[in-house]
Amino acid sequence: MRAIAVLSRLSLQRRFGSVAILSVLLALSGTLVLAVIAGALRDGTAMDRLRSASRPATAVVLPNIAQSSVTRYAVDWHRIAALPEVAALAVTSINDPYEIKGIDFGDVGFPAASPDAF
């Protein structure tokens, strides 16, 4: 038994550098694997966390109806907002003429026309 211990110690002394390098590489690869697993788990819940934080629209309605001269909007959005299926409603503007200095109209998209959009 003592001979095996002596031979092991001599072998370890001769190969100490390569054993140390292999140990460091093993530790680095283990750390990389754990980081990849943690990132994959976090990535799997990214959309759920974004939905809970941002209240995204689940439906967009663009009625193709001309505006009347009496009301600003062609559709009575108050009646639609009162429907039990509607949790929140935000009105946007498509035809209103506006100009923002330094911003092209194509970059703006649909500007918010009600504070509920925010």
Side-chain angles (χ1 to χ4, degrees), residues 40-112:
L41 291 174
R42 184 166 168 82
D43 186 46
T45 62
M47 287 305 294
D48 296 331
R49 289 182 286 122
L50 178 64
R51 273 191 212 104
S52 67
S54 65
R55 291 183 7 180
T58 54
V60 176
V61 179
L62 295 173
N64 198 6
I65 304 170
Q67 288 180 330
S68 70
S69 61
V70 178
T71 63
R72 179 181 166 117
Y73 302 108
V75 176
D76 185 8
W77 293 110
H78 297 291
R79 289 181 57 199
I80 294 173
L83 293 172
E85 300 89 5
V86 178
L89 183 127
V91 179
T92 62
S93 175
I94 298 174
N95 297 334
D96 286 348
Y98 64 92
E99 182 179 332
I100 300 173
K101 291 182 180 179
I103 298 178
D104 184 27
F105 177 74
D107 295 338
V108 174
F110 296 116

Side-chain angles (χ1 to χ4, degrees), residues 8-23:
S8 297
R9 192 175 331 133
L10 286 174
S11 177
L12 182 62
Q13 287 173 352
R14 281 186 291 183
R15 295 186 177 94
F16 179 75
S18 57
V19 169
I21 290 173
L22 283 175
S23 299

